[in-house]
Amino acid sequence: MHLDEVCRQTVAHKWGGRVAIGHVTKLSALDTASLQRIGAKLGDAGVAVTVLPATDLFLMGRGAEHSVPRGVAPAHRLREQGVTCSLATNNVLNPFTPFGDCSLIRIANLYANIAQIGQPEQLEACLDMITAMPARLMNLADYGIAVGNPADIVVLDCMDRASVVAELAQPVLGIKRGRISFSHPAAAINWPAAATPVNDDLQALLGQPSDS
């Protein structure tokens, strides 16, 4: 169904805030004026957009021999126009996307690379598009850390929100409904003691003779 018709039907049936469209790869080829027109229409109708960077990037332009199009809709620009936008993936290790690990942080980082955005506020917007924005799309009334909300928390190894996306921050702890569901301690550096030679096992691994 054409995007304009989706918007028209959403308005006609008063379903604003309950409709989402995915991929919309053609939006990646629009000029600024056309994208603004579409963004305004989506925002006014209450139609959300979910972009799937890994699949769209892998599948688009496969017949091109050069100047291969990226084919990833500019979600961050639509978000600036009030459209509820999210980043996601629906294919992992299958013919449509033969790689991935289900990490939405990795998808946000991939999107930032594709969209050539790197300012802290832009990276924070990418984080929003895998957290708060999807919650808005699903009309979750109890999302976020607040008194009375479910204790659903993911702890990340980073200093700030922008670093989550820029550094591909790894989750170290997950809590679901108040119960620890997983833990993944951060890597530890095993500093050598002063003036201590490399141990015999490592020397053997490196093919070096042991001092003993």
Side-chain angles (χ1 to χ4, degrees):
M1 184 179 292
H2 195 279
L3 186 150
D4 288 341
E5 182 63 14
V6 171
C7 290
R8 191 184 74 80
Q9 292 290 348
T10 300
V11 172
H13 294 281
K14 297 181 173 58
W15 270 37
R18 300 172 62 189
V19 176
I21 56 177
H23 296 286
V24 286
T25 55
K26 288 184 179 180
L27 297 187
S28 66
L30 293 182
D31 57 71
T32 299
S34 298
L35 186 66
Q36 288 179 338
R37 178 183 65 81
I38 292 296
K41 179 169 291 189
L42 290 166
D44 291 343
V47 175
V49 172
T50 296
V51 176
L52 301 105
T55 298
D56 297 340
L57 190 64
F58 182 72
L59 294 180
M60 288 297 296
R62 296 184 68 82
E65 295 181 356
H66 61 88
S67 300
V68 181
R70 288 187 169 102
V72 177
H76 63 293
R77 294 170 62 187
L78 295 173
R79 180 181 179 274
E80 292 171 355
Q81 293 183 261
V83 181
T84 298
C85 291
S86 58
L87 303 173
T89 183
N90 64 345
N91 296 291
V92 177
L93 301 178
N94 67 14
F96 297 102
T97 312
F99 38 72
D101 57 4
C102 298
S103 168
L104 289 180
I105 293 175
R106 192 179 305 281
I107 292 297
N109 175 276
L110 175 63
Y111 177 83
N113 277 272
I114 298 167
Q116 298 174 315
I117 57 179
Q119 295 300 314
E121 62 275 12
Q122 295 174 320
L123 295 173
E124 290 179 3
C126 288
L127 179 61
D128 282 342
M129 287 192 284
I130 60 170
T131 54
M133 286 288 178
R136 181 188 300 176
L137 185 155
M138 293 185 289
N139 292 307
L140 300 183
D142 56 0
Y143 178 81
I145 300 176
V147 176
N149 282 3
D152 297 341
I153 302 168
V154 175
V155 180
L156 301 168
D157 183 19
C158 59
M159 296 297 294
D160 52 51
R161 285 166 47 80
S163 296
V164 176
V165 177
E167 300 175 7
L168 284 168
Q170 296 301 301
V172 296
L173 180 69
I175 300 175
K176 182 66 175 179
R177 303 284 173 172
R179 184 185 70 84
I180 295 177
S181 61
F182 75 86
S183 58
H184 186 264
I189 299 177
N190 298 311
W191 297 105
T196 300
V198 177
N199 64 55
D200 292 348
D201 291 339
L202 183 55
Q203 286 181 329
L205 181 65
L206 297 176
Q208 298 175 353
S210 171
D211 292 337
S212 60

